[in-house]
Amino acid sequence: MTTETSATAPAAAHAAPGIDLFSQEFAADPFPVYAQLRRSAPVHYDPATKLWLVSRDEDIRQVLLEPATYRNDNALGSVVPLRLPALRILDRAGFKTLPPALFNNSGDTHPVLRGAVLRLFSAQQVRAALPMVERITHEELDLMAEALDTTGHHDFAQGPARRIPVRVMLEMLGVPEEARADITTVADWTDAFITLFWGRTDKDRQRELALQVADFYRWLSELATRSDAPDDSLLGALARVRMPDGSPVPPEVAVAVCSNLMVAGHVTTSQMISTAVYRALESDGQWRALAQDPGLAGGWTEETLRREPSLTAWRRVTSRATTLGGVDLPEGAEILLMFTSAGTDPDAYEEPERICPMRKAGRGHLGFGLGRHRCPGGELARVEGRVVLSAAAARFPDLRLATRERPPFLELVSFRAPTRLEVTRTLSRTQGTPYAAKGSTAP
């Protein structure tokens, strides 16, 4: 297929299903659409978002391994243009656009900033953080136990899955106790951030979200100016980093790095945990298997990252005219790499729809990306997923979904997970075996 020179107006496109990337129907079950895209239009132009949708594993890997051709400069721009009221609110807070930091940086400052973050999330640092992760997990599961004893049910997605990653990231960033915002407030801020920039919202909703994002930005700006952060924290590391010209990290760049990590460290990890717990509870007998063998939690986490990564898709932009998957792309073509589709590509994985904790492919999936922009916090997220899943299954072996209805899923271009996950405990022997929910593809 050939295209015009315009990055947003191709002359033709392969036949493909009608797609609404923001719909609940697509969010709840995107797999049939992915399968049809891979078969009929693996590089497909979506006129609604003006994005080229890339759905095959091999093509996505090619893009990720050619960062000079496929740059990440557009990764943090809003998918839907922001309206004037929202822009004014952000401008008053000093937040116009996030400067290049980690996820939107193809320049020479990226290795310097990434290096500081990689040291913070090194294997050694993650091992050292394990007791902290375990402590926070057990504290949150204590609160969940109280709720179950009192009311008989609990929302796992809004409880442990949402709160644990926020608390862990506040520790890893080195935010002093007296400077910490309420856990729920921080979670609300990061949720507002992704909804504003990756959702389809009207003017009034944008204004509401912008007010929260502005508060988030002000809070991060105050943190970036503090001088009492521990040396082994991100804020402490950024204070010591020097840019390529020898200058200190500008405050707005420090804020951008912190916002990148707070959003990634909370949102994607929270959503990974929610999805992993949902699929384990949905699958006949799997939750009890995890309770009996905690060692399965690591494999279950990896399979969740492969099959249903919370970062479902990410953007790139071409720096020159190129060909991808047999499709000619002009310079400036904006691309959406569909990681969930890659993880369910039958050309890359045997029985890709099946969740198999013992799968030989192991960590070879794209749940954390690939190449120079691979997620630097991947090991910490893995630890959190493994710890929470194994601890929750051991603590509540009789946990089950409170309803057979499929939970609502987040309707954003790049993020997907259950937004609510009501759970309860088995009340009788007849309720003791977890059921397979309608439409389940897990074993």
Side-chain angles (χ1 to χ4, degrees):
M1 184 180 106
T2 60
T3 70
E4 299 175 2
T5 56
S6 168
T8 59
H14 286 161
I19 303 170
D20 183 354
L21 297 176
F22 301 99
S23 71
Q24 181 60 208
E25 181 182 7
F26 177 75
D29 186 15
F31 303 105
V33 172
Y34 290 143
Q36 190 170 349
L37 281 173
R38 289 191 302 266
R39 287 193 303 268
S40 62
V43 180
H44 168 69
Y45 183 75
D46 176 41
T49 58
K50 298 182 174 60
L51 294 170
W52 289 89
L53 311 183
V54 183
S55 53
R56 289 191 308 201
D57 180 87
E58 64 174 310
D59 294 330
I60 293 174
R61 289 177 187 271
Q62 178 183 336
V63 170
L64 293 174
L65 292 175
E66 296 181 18
T69 299
Y70 304 97
R71 296 168 64 93
N72 69 345
D73 303 329
N74 64 333
L76 299 183
S78 60
V79 176
V80 174
L82 299 185
R83 306 288 289 274
L84 189 58
L87 291 172
R88 284 174 174 166
I89 291 168
L90 297 177
D91 186 61
R92 286 197 295 268
F95 177 21
K96 297 180 180 178
T97 58
L98 285 176
L102 296 176
F103 306 148
N104 61 337
N105 191 350
S106 296
D108 60 354
T109 62
H110 177 263
V112 174
L113 298 170
R114 181 176 171 83
V117 173
L118 286 174
R119 286 189 290 274
L120 177 70
F121 293 109
S122 67
Q124 180 180 357
Q125 291 291 90
V126 171
R127 282 195 299 271
L130 178 59
M132 177 266 290
V133 174
E134 292 175 332
R135 171 180 58 80
I136 290 174
T137 296
H138 288 294
E139 289 173 356
E140 293 297 328
L141 293 180
D142 286 344
L143 296 176
M144 176 174 164
E146 292 177 11
L148 288 170
D149 290 342
T150 302
T151 67
H153 60 89
H154 191 60
D155 186 342
F156 200 100
Q158 295 297 312
R162 191 171 194 242
R163 291 174 55 86
I164 290 169
V166 173
R167 294 182 61 184
V168 169
M169 284 308 300
L170 290 175
E171 295 280 352
M172 298 299 289
L173 265 63
V175 179
E177 288 285 348
E178 66 276 11
R180 295 187 182 184
D182 175 76
I183 301 301
T184 300
T185 299
V186 176
D188 288 345
W189 283 341
T190 56
D191 286 344
F193 188 98
I194 64 168
T195 304
L196 182 63
F197 289 99
W198 283 275
R200 180 171 61 193
T201 51
D202 59 25
K203 182 175 65 175
D204 291 339
R205 180 60 174 152
Q206 283 188 5
R207 183 180 183 280
E208 176 186 331
L209 294 167
L211 289 169
Q212 292 180 283
V213 172
D215 287 341
F216 182 40
Y217 187 81
R218 292 188 189 98
W219 178 68
L220 290 174
S221 297
E222 291 174 2
L223 291 180
T225 62
R226 296 181 68 100
S227 58
D228 56 351
D231 289 341
D232 60 351
S233 69
L234 177 64
L235 292 170
L238 290 175
R240 298 190 303 273
V241 166
R242 291 297 176 265
M243 302 296 268
D245 62 0
S247 64
V249 175
E252 65 273 14
V253 174
V255 170
V257 172
C258 290
S259 69
N260 287 180
L261 293 180
M262 277 303 304
V263 169
H266 164 235
V267 171
T268 60
T269 305
S270 171
Q271 294 172 0
M272 175 193 71
I273 293 170
S274 294
T275 303
V277 170
Y278 171 52
R279 293 306 182 193
L281 289 172
E282 179 195 46
S283 305
D284 188 24
Q286 186 59 50
W287 186 258
R288 288 191 179 278
L290 285 167
Q292 294 165 5
D293 183 3
L296 293 174
W300 193 264
T301 299
E302 291 301 325
E303 281 290 87
T304 301
L305 288 164
R306 172 191 65 81
R307 183 179 181 273
E308 294 183 272
S310 50
L311 189 67
T312 61
W314 207 236
R315 281 173 286 172
R316 290 289 189 270
V317 60
T318 56
S319 63
R320 60 178 179 82
T322 188
T323 300
L324 179 65
V327 176
D328 294 332
L329 300 175
E331 179 182 349
E334 298 211 40
I335 294 170
L336 187 69
L337 305 177
M338 308 182 87
F339 295 137
T340 304
S341 179
T344 51
D345 187 342
D347 289 336
Y349 303 95
E350 185 177 353
E351 295 184 276
E353 291 287 335
R354 184 169 179 264
I355 299 176
C356 179
M358 307 305 291
R359 188 181 294 272
K360 292 181 181 179
R363 297 185 172 197
H365 54 75
L366 296 176
F368 291 122
L370 184 68
R372 66 175 295 188
H373 294 293
R374 180 181 175 85
C375 176
E379 289 309 307
L380 179 63
R382 284 186 165 105
V383 165
E384 290 183 71
R386 185 174 69 246
V387 168
V388 175
L389 198 60
S390 60
R395 180 78 174 270
F396 309 108
D398 58 346
L399 201 70
R400 63 184 177 87
L401 296 172
T403 174
R404 292 179 180 271
E405 296 297 322
R406 183 162 54 190
F409 276 75
L410 198 62
E411 303 169 351
L412 304 179
V413 164
S414 291
F415 301 88
R416 175 183 179 270
T419 56
R420 294 196 306 273
L421 192 60
E422 288 290 333
V423 296
T424 187
R425 302 179 77 170
T426 300
L427 300 178
S428 68
R429 180 171 297 180
T430 59
Q431 294 171 314
T433 302
Y435 53 83
K438 182 180 180 181
S440 172
T441 55

